Amino acid sequence: VQTWYLGAMAPVREVRHISDSVRNRIFITFIISILVALALVIIGVNSTIKRLSAGLAIMKDIAEGNGDLTVQVDIKEHDEIGQLFTYFNQTIAKIRASMLTVMDESRRQQEIGTLLADNMNNTASSVKQITTGIDATNQQTSAQMESVAITKESVDPITHNINSLNAAVNEQSQG
């Protein structure tokens, strides 16, 4: 088995020149790749910050503003931030539904309270009328009792006279 060797001779200047050229091209490509990657990261971060800022502004408006529960965060992408905003919108919708239920129940309770107050006023008026009727009946009963007492005082002497007359008639008829 024979081993072959191949050798080439080239001037050192040429080899260094080619080596330097390749090294410079690799370095420039590396720098450009890093700059492109950095630009893509900055664009991605800015896009994410803008999306989060839009959601944050709506959340802040709900928390510090008038509490408008009809707002919703626009969902443009269905990534993790999109899922976060989807759940936020669902939470706000549930809170809005709960608030509407509470407001309806509060309104209903207020109507019941008004109805109860009216019924209490009617009952108080009826009780007052009944009390007035009882007082009038008591006065009439007292007046009748006085009248009966006066009549009794008048009838007692008549009864006594009739009894005396009856006794006298009985004595004469027997005698």
Side-chain angles (χ1 to χ4, degrees), residues 70-150:
T70 60
V71 297
Q72 292 210 343
V73 179
D74 290 332
I75 301 167
K76 296 176 183 167
E77 296 179 29
H78 296 286
D79 57 357
E80 288 79 6
I81 295 173
Q83 289 176 351
L84 173 72
F85 290 156
T86 298
Y87 293 131
F88 173 77
N89 288 342
Q90 290 173 356
T91 302
I92 291 298
K94 287 180 181 179
I95 292 171
R96 179 177 52 246
S98 295
M99 290 300 293
L100 289 173
T101 300
V102 167
M103 287 171 45
D104 288 344
E105 189 62 27
S106 175
R107 190 177 309 114
R108 193 172 76 77
Q109 292 297 325
Q110 189 174 14
E111 290 170 0
I112 289 171
T114 302
L115 181 63
L116 285 174
D118 290 345
N119 287 342
M120 288 298 293
N121 287 336
N122 291 340
T123 302
S125 177
S126 297
V127 167
K128 185 175 180 181
Q129 288 175 352
I130 290 170
T131 303
T132 302
I134 289 172
D135 288 344
T137 302
N138 282 340
Q139 288 176 354
Q140 288 175 354
T141 303
S142 293
Q144 283 181 344
M145 287 177 65
E146 286 177 26
S147 177
V148 166
I150 291 171

Side-chain angles (χ1 to χ4, degrees), residues 158-168:
I158 294 172
T159 304
H160 179 65
N161 288 339
I162 290 175
N163 285 338
S164 297
L165 183 63
N166 191 26

